[in-house]
């Protein structure tokens, strides 16, 4: 899902209470002093290819035109940037004091902490707020107040190549469910000459995501139930020790997983060179195009299937600067109407974030391959994007957490240093 790999612990009761206050506020005028007409500036990320038929620019412009037809006093000026560019461009706009009215990107917490965003309760009526799936609504909170509106989501499952399983004498209809079964399968795949038995992307593109999936399989996570960092917990140290000793050292992964990016392994999987790896819906689309015979299963855990999986979301938010609160709220409510929201997620093979759109996907047989991902969404673990320190912490994790799994590495030392840096960053951001 492009950059959706970035971000979260990351309920609804708190949202509802805030919403009651928000309903009163919604009666105010959002058009600005002396003006009944509003132009909203929208900056969004491109989930397709810029300039191509699948560019998100086409979706947003069509949606903006339909909205203005219903609301002639509100025009929406659409700008779409690639995922490679949008972070810097949006940050520059905000830093220069010229933020858009609405943005759709992969993070929001810093701007919420700086008081630059409207609360969701100031934008949407209670019924619209209640439509968001609870884990995603909670993932949009900073200090228990929701500022981020989840836009699209994805979860992770285990992928495996059925042809390579048969070649290795493994049951092509039975994915490994525990770490021990995964190790045994990887050993068999290596013996059968498979180039990469298990794809372990601990390079800077996706190290934080792959790491969290493994942590979850052993009862670990990045933060505890109250949001304190637990990067060097005993469970997490044990997880990386297992990876080092049972997959990396025996040569069941690529030689340098700490330098291997996810997309490289996705590409290798679609060429038939990887036996097993964790993936999201985009990998499914890529494998289908290459006619790879693959199966999926739950993430393996230390003693059996992992209880949870990684969930990832991208976000929408509304900036206060131009005072267009009411107009922003109207447009955002329109964005998340079932027909409009479902049109986007179904086009790009992503997961909906509202109850009604999720129910629609469950009934849509054309989207049957997404059902296993959708089934996991309610119980998924999200990055702690609501922590203001997370953006800097995840940047550090991407660069160095892979060192915890290398042959001859010291997981305890690596994770403890990451814990120290995360706590220092958290203290600096919250003091």
């Amino acid at each position: 899902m492009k950059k959706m790999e970035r971000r979260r612990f990351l309920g609804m009761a708190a949202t509802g209470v805030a919403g009651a206050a928000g309903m009163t506020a919604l009666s105010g005028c959002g058009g600005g002093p002396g003006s009944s007409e509003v132009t909203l500036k929208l900056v969004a990320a491109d989930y397709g290819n810029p300039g191509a038929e699948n560019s998100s620019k086409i979706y947003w412009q069509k949606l903006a035109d339909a909205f203005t037809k219903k609301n002639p006093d509100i025009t929406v000026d659409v700008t779409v940037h690639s995922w490679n560019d949008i972070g810097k461009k949006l940050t520059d706009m905000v830093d220069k004091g010229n933020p858009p009215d609405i943005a759709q990107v992969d993070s929001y917490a810093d701007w919420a902490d700086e008081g630059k965003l409207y609360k969701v309760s100031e934008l949407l009526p209670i019924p619209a707020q209640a439509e968001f799936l609870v884990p995603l609504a909670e993932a949009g909170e900073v200090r228990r107040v929701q500022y981020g509106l989840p836009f699209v989501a994805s979860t992770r499952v285990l992928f495996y190549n059925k042809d390579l399983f048969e070649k290795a004498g493994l049951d092509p209809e039975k994915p490994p469910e525990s770490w021990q079964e995964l190790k045994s399968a990887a050993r068999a795949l290596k013996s059968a000459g498979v180039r990469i038995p298990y794809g372990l992307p601990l390079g800077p593109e996706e190290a934080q995501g792959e790491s969290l999936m493994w942590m979850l399989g052993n009862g670990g996570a990045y933060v505890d139930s109250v949001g304190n960092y637990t990067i060097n917990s005993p469970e997490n140290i044990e997880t990386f020790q297992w990876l080092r000793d049972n997959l990396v050292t025996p040569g069941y992964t690529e030689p340098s997983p700490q330098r291997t990016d996810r997309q490289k392994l996705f590409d290798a999987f679609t060429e038939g060179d990887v036996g097993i790896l964790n993936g999201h819906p985009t990998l499914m689309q890529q494998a289908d195009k290459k006619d790879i015979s693959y199966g999926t299963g739950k993430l393996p855990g230390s003693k059996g299937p992992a209880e949870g999986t990684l969930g990832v979301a991208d976000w929408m938010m509304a900036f206060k600067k131009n005072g267009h609160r009411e107009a922003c709220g109207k447009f955002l409510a329109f964005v998340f109407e079932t027909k409009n929201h479902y049109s986007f997620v179904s086009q790009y093979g992503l997961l909906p974030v509202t109850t009604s759109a999720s129910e629609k996907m469950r009934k849509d047989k054309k989207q049957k391959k997404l059902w296993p991902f959708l089934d996991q969404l309610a119980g998924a673990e999200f990055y702690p994007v609501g922590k203001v320190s997370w953006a800097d912490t995840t940047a550090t994790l991407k660069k160095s957490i892979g060192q915890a799994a290398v042959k001859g590495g010291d997981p305890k030392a690596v994770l403890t240093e990451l814990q120290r840096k995360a706590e220092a960053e958290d203290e600096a951001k919250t003091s």
Side-chain angles (χ1 to χ4, degrees):
M1 160 198 262
K2 297 272 182 194
K3 295 282 185 184
M4 223 192 272
E5 319 316 334
R6 345 113 280 6
R7 319 129 285 350
R8 313 167 191 237
F9 302 111
L10 287 155
M12 201 50 73
T15 303
V17 171
M23 286 296 290
T24 303
L26 282 168
S27 63
C29 174
S35 173
S36 59
E37 295 186 359
V38 173
T39 296
L40 295 179
K41 294 185 181 298
L42 166 70
V43 173
D46 204 332
Y47 289 75
N49 300 308
E53 290 183 359
N54 69 343
S55 172
S56 301
K57 171 80 173 181
I58 297 170
Y59 168 85
W60 283 115
Q61 193 58 60
K62 182 178 179 181
L63 192 71
D65 292 344
F67 175 76
T68 299
K69 188 174 181 180
K70 286 188 174 183
N71 301 272
D73 58 333
I74 306 175
T75 303
V76 183
D77 179 17
V78 175
T79 301
V80 173
H81 295 295
S82 73
W83 275 110
N84 291 333
D85 298 332
I86 190 169
K88 183 177 187 310
K89 288 183 180 293
L90 185 56
T91 298
D92 287 347
M93 292 175 70
V94 177
D95 289 348
K96 291 176 181 177
N98 187 34
D101 295 286
I102 297 173
Q104 182 272 304
V105 70
D106 60 359
S107 60
Y108 64 87
D110 282 354
W111 295 317
D113 188 61
E114 293 167 2
K116 293 176 179 176
L117 302 181
Y118 286 116
K119 301 173 186 176
V120 172
S121 61
E122 295 174 307
L123 298 166
L124 300 178
I126 291 175
Q129 294 177 56
E131 264 284 284
F132 292 112
L133 299 173
V134 173
L136 291 166
E138 291 176 344
E141 296 177 353
V142 173
R143 299 186 181 93
R144 302 200 178 276
V145 176
Q146 188 181 356
Y147 295 91
L149 295 94
F151 178 58
V152 291
S154 76
T155 59
R156 302 292 182 268
V157 299
L158 185 82
F159 283 75
Y160 65 99
N161 185 309
K162 290 187 174 183
D163 290 338
L164 295 181
F165 263 49
E166 286 189 354
K167 180 181 178 181
L170 300 167
D171 185 345
E173 302 304 323
K174 190 177 185 303
E177 296 185 342
S178 68
W179 288 358
Q180 190 56 48
E181 289 182 10
L182 177 62
K183 177 184 177 180
S184 297
R187 182 190 304 118
L189 289 163
K190 184 176 178 65
S191 297
V194 175
R195 186 164 72 86
I196 304 174
Y198 181 81
L200 185 65
L202 293 177
E205 180 190 355
E206 178 64 4
Q208 85 287 1
E210 183 73 12
S211 297
L212 181 53
M213 285 184 271
W214 280 94
M215 291 173 182
L216 292 172
N218 197 35
Y222 285 127
V223 297
D224 60 21
S225 59
V226 294
N228 296 316
Y229 282 113
T230 56
I231 298 170
N232 68 337
S233 69
E235 293 84 359
N236 291 345
I237 293 170
E238 183 180 66
T239 294
F240 277 91
Q241 289 171 338
W242 192 93
L243 279 171
R244 178 196 63 191
D245 297 339
N246 293 275
L247 290 185
V248 179
T249 300
Y252 300 151
T253 69
E254 54 281 74
S256 302
Q258 78 278 14
R259 291 195 290 271
T260 303
D261 285 339
R262 181 190 62 192
Q263 191 56 55
K264 178 183 176 182
L265 289 174
F266 277 18
D267 292 342
F269 184 79
T270 64
E271 295 297 329
D273 291 332
V274 178
I276 311 169
L277 79 172
N278 296 325
H280 54 62
T282 298
L283 178 57
M284 184 173 61
Q285 293 179 326
Q286 294 173 359
D288 286 341
K289 288 179 181 178
K290 293 292 188 74
D291 294 323
I292 296 293
S293 176
Y294 64 90
T296 61
K298 290 186 176 181
L299 302 184
S302 58
K303 309 240 181 332
E307 293 185 4
T309 187
L310 170 64
V312 177
D314 290 330
W315 303 92
M316 295 196 76
M317 65 213 74
F319 288 86
K320 294 179 178 180
K321 180 66 183 293
N322 299 320
H324 294 156
R325 178 183 50 77
E326 185 178 12
C328 287
K330 284 183 178 180
F331 181 69
L332 288 167
F334 188 70
V335 168
F336 289 103
E337 286 182 9
T338 302
K339 176 183 175 182
N340 297 330
H341 181 47
Y342 193 74
S343 174
F344 189 92
V345 296
S346 60
Q347 177 181 352
Y348 292 104
L350 301 172
L351 301 182
V353 299
T354 65
T355 300
S356 58
S358 297
E359 291 172 352
K360 184 177 178 65
M361 180 169 281
R362 288 184 191 281
K363 297 175 183 177
D364 186 351
K365 292 185 178 179
K366 294 179 182 178
Q367 303 294 335
K368 190 172 183 178
K369 285 191 173 183
L370 287 175
W371 292 353
F373 298 91
L374 187 63
D375 290 342
Q376 298 184 121
L377 187 56
E381 289 281 359
F382 292 85
Y383 299 121
V385 290
K387 288 179 72 65
V388 181
S389 60
W390 176 247
D392 291 326
T393 295
T394 191
T396 304
L397 285 168
K398 288 180 180 181
K399 293 176 182 177
S400 56
I401 197 168
Q403 295 293 333
V406 300
K407 183 177 180 179
D410 186 342
K412 183 175 182 179
V414 172
L415 297 183
T416 298
E417 177 63 11
L418 287 170
Q419 175 78 14
R420 184 191 67 77
K421 290 180 178 179
E423 289 176 343
E425 188 66 39
D426 201 41
E427 183 177 357
K429 291 283 188 180
T430 57
S431 60

